[in-house]
Amino acid sequence: MLFKEEQFLDKSLTYINYTIYMQEAIIAALNTQTFPNPKVGAVLVDKFGNIKSTGVHHGPGTNHAEIEIINNSVITEEDTLYVTLEPCFHTDSSPSCCAELLKTPIKNIVIGDIDIDIRTNGKSIELLKKNNVNITFEKNANLFINPHYKNQKLSIIKPTIIGKIATSDNNFIYENNSINKYITNEISLSVTHYLRATVDGIAIGKNTLITDSPKLNIRNSDVSNVTPMKIVFWGSDVNIEKYIDIYHDFIFLTSFNHSASNIYPLLNGEFNLNNIYSELKINSLLVEGGNYLHKFLLNNLKYDSFYWFKSSKKITNGNQLSDPILNKLNTEYKVINKFPLKDNQLTTYTYI
């Protein structure tokens, strides 16, 4: 199917098991900048399914998403609150969201993830249940919005790295002589653009830059103002002048020095992901490379998670996903979920 780049289907997160209300909370959270605090969104829904209020956390020292809901809404016991992360149990720079919610008539709360912060970590859920609040889950909402949160709370000082690949049914990643550069459908593309909105940077390899001329922007209208850093693993090819001029808003990672301000010689010697963390201040990185870049990174580090979008179409003339990548995914990673995206499928992995 052919379609213009601008015609992405928003709200496609339904296909990865989020209700329209949790999606609203996720999208609201994605449009904030809160680091080192997590991005959190909340939506209050009445008994008829109408959204009464939306709240977000705006960063350290500001009200949490649940407090925004409480301050801006008339809550009844027939309402349902959707929140992307377990309400906080502790009180420090802001009041305990759990305690404040217990002062309201709310009786139904849908939570995205249990908060692994030791100050909360299930305590709010336990207390809410003891006070006859019905708790249900739409899992992995916080993990999706804040991919670096787990490493941050475990004090792992490195960027969280997410791999992404799109293939045909027979594992081709590129079709020769095709007027449509997209292998997967509009749902897969939309989910990819939401995924882009969750990270600090998007990385591709040199061949992808030259072949596809990607914009690496976010084209879902409800998160289009989110602007991750654009990064190219360029390598040792010194024939770079034309590209640094055309792609002046990209960061080029090279193995050689150069006077251009957007070139970082971070690939000299043994590759160390911490160099990217320290130099570029990136906490989370989405890698959308082809065979060469994924093989390079799979051999030199581990992906925290991996997204494989697979189309139902078959390709007979082009580049096929290499066996070393398939072997790595099959032996060193485990499948977390498989989501049907109309005639596509998304498989998500995590490192074993």
Side-chain angles (χ1 to χ4, degrees):
M1 176 174 58
L2 298 179
F3 49 90
K4 295 181 180 180
E5 291 184 4
E6 294 80 10
Q7 295 176 331
F8 286 91
L9 179 65
D10 293 343
K11 307 297 187 294
S12 56
L13 298 180
T14 302
Y15 289 88
I16 57 174
N17 293 346
Y18 294 117
T19 61
I20 58 172
Y21 306 116
M22 187 60 79
Q23 284 184 75
E24 290 293 334
I26 289 171
I27 290 162
L30 288 176
N31 281 288
T32 62
Q33 293 295 329
T34 61
F35 189 81
N37 291 5
K39 299 177 180 182
V40 179
V43 168
L44 185 68
V45 180
D46 69 17
K47 66 178 181 179
F48 302 108
N50 300 310
I51 294 177
K52 296 175 66 173
S53 183
T54 300
V56 294
H57 178 47
H58 293 284
T62 66
N63 285 334
H64 290 184
E66 301 93 320
I67 304 301
E68 282 208 338
I69 294 285
I70 292 169
N71 290 344
N72 298 316
S73 312
V74 176
I75 299 174
T76 75
E77 64 179 20
E78 295 176 315
D79 294 338
T80 301
L81 177 67
Y82 291 78
V83 60
T84 58
L85 181 64
E86 178 184 5
C88 66
F89 187 80
H90 56 281
T91 300
D92 45 29
S93 59
S94 60
S96 163
C97 292
C98 176
E100 294 302 309
L101 285 169
L102 287 174
K103 297 176 184 178
T104 76
I106 196 75
K107 292 299 178 185
N108 296 287
I109 301 178
V110 183
I111 294 173
D113 283 307
I114 297 173
D115 192 350
I116 62 173
D117 187 320
I118 59 173
R119 296 171 297 176
T120 297
N121 198 19
K123 297 173 187 175
S124 291
I125 292 170
E126 181 180 358
L127 184 58
L128 288 164
K129 286 181 175 180
K130 284 183 177 179
N131 283 270
N132 300 314
V133 178
N134 178 47
I135 302 294
T136 55
F137 295 92
E138 292 189 31
K139 294 182 179 179
N140 297 324
N142 180 66
L143 180 63
F144 182 79
I145 300 166
N146 299 290
H148 187 60
Y149 190 64
K150 181 178 179 180
N151 283 346
Q152 180 187 1
K153 289 302 175 184
L154 295 176
S155 299
I156 298 174
I157 309 301
K158 77 168 190 66
T160 297
I161 184 165
I162 303 166
K164 177 257 174 180
I165 198 78
T167 73
S168 66
D169 184 60
N170 55 342
N171 295 340
F172 277 76
I173 61 175
Y174 183 80
E175 183 174 15
N176 292 338
N177 304 319
S178 173
I179 61 172
N180 182 15
K181 67 180 180 179
Y182 299 116
I183 293 173
T184 51
N185 67 18
E186 75 277 10
I187 303 298
S188 293
L189 290 167
S190 179
V191 172
T192 295
H193 281 256
Y194 282 124
L195 184 59
R196 287 182 176 184
T198 70
V199 295
D200 299 325
I202 308 165
I204 58 173
K206 181 186 75 172
N207 292 337
T208 299
L209 181 77
I210 294 172
T211 302
D212 292 342
S213 303
K215 296 177 182 178
L216 296 190
N217 57 1
I218 296 171
R219 297 189 287 277
N220 286 347
S221 61
D222 47 15
V223 286
S224 60
N225 291 326
V226 182
T227 55
M229 191 176 296
K230 306 170 184 179
I231 297 169
V232 183
F233 280 76
W234 184 266
S236 61
D237 185 358
V238 296
N239 298 310
I240 197 173
E241 301 301 328
K242 178 176 74 171
Y243 298 100
I244 60 175
D245 183 46
I246 295 172
Y247 300 98
H248 55 86
D249 58 337
F250 284 47
I251 296 295
F252 289 78
L253 305 183
T254 68
S255 59
F256 55 87
N257 293 314
H258 193 284
S259 60
S261 60
N262 60 334
I263 290 184
Y264 287 73
L266 299 178
L267 304 181
N268 287 311
E270 184 177 351
F271 174 69
N272 187 344
L273 193 63
N274 286 338
N275 292 339
I276 294 178
Y277 173 80
S278 59
E279 289 285 342
L280 303 180
K281 308 303 180 188
I282 285 179
N283 293 303
S284 53
L285 182 68
L286 175 65
V287 178
E288 297 190 15
N291 275 325
Y292 183 86
L293 182 57
H294 281 309
K295 281 193 292 186
F296 173 74
L297 294 178
L298 283 166
N299 286 331
N300 285 277
L301 48 84
K302 68 177 179 69
Y303 286 115
D304 293 272
S305 57
F306 198 94
Y307 287 68
W308 183 354
F309 295 87
K310 178 173 279 196
S311 169
S312 61
K313 71 181 290 187
K314 293 186 184 295
I315 294 174
T316 57
N317 184 19
N319 295 330
Q320 197 166 27
L321 190 64
S322 69
D323 287 339
I325 294 175
L326 292 170
N327 291 337
K328 283 280 187 178
L329 288 176
N330 288 333
T331 60
E332 297 183 13
Y333 293 78
K334 66 178 179 180
V335 173
I336 300 300
N337 280 303
K338 290 188 176 184
F339 301 104
L341 312 178
K342 289 189 176 178
D343 60 343
N344 286 192
Q345 178 174 274
L346 168 61
T347 304
T348 59
Y349 299 80
T350 189
Y351 190 75
I352 296 175

